[in-house]
Amino acid sequence: MENKDKDSLEAAIIKKINTTMIGSISDVEEFFDFLWTGTPTENKAQFKKIFQELRQSILDRGNHQIRKLKTDLNNFDVKSKVYTYQFKVKD
């Protein structure tokens, strides 16, 4: 049961990290999209290349943190509190 709880926690945390990474990339693209769509042709490729490098850097950093998280979680015993019941027996 503890492995299932740990796996659930790991999946939830990884999803949040991925959402943060992808959301950040999306925000950068939304705010700076005009640089590679609305600028003179000579600059479009350069700005797009810079964005791709930034995007890759964000993903690499996030994936590195996910790998570290998985290692760190192995040092803990995880037990879910969601479905814990305790019954008291009277004599």
Side-chain angles (χ1 to χ4, degrees):
M1 186 68 169
E2 285 183 16
N3 281 340
K4 184 180 177 188
D5 293 340
K6 187 182 290 187
D7 292 344
S8 295
L9 176 62
E10 182 179 305
I13 293 171
I14 289 172
K15 183 174 181 179
K16 287 172 178 40
I17 292 172
N18 282 331
T19 299
T20 301
M21 288 188 308
I22 300 304
S24 297
I25 291 169
S26 178
D27 287 346
V28 170
E29 189 170 22
E30 182 181 333
F31 280 88
F32 294 104
D33 177 66
F34 70 92
L35 292 174
W36 52 86
T37 58
T39 56
T41 307
E42 61 194 42
N43 292 332
K44 284 182 185 181
Q46 181 182 3
F47 287 131
K48 186 67 173 183
K49 182 180 179 215
I50 292 169
F51 167 72
Q52 292 297 336
E53 290 173 5
L54 173 62
R55 179 184 183 279
Q56 191 61 52
S57 176
I58 291 169
L59 292 173
D60 288 346
R61 187 173 292 119
N63 289 329
H64 178 71
Q65 292 303 315
I66 288 171
R67 286 190 297 277
K68 287 175 63 173
L69 165 80
K70 288 180 178 184
T71 300
D72 291 344
L73 277 176
N74 285 326
N75 295 323
F76 292 91
D77 291 327
V78 178
K79 200 181 281 189
S80 176
K81 290 184 175 184
V82 177
Y83 299 106
T84 302
Y85 297 99
Q86 184 174 15
F87 297 98
K88 294 184 179 183
V89 180
K90 292 183 178 181
D91 292 331

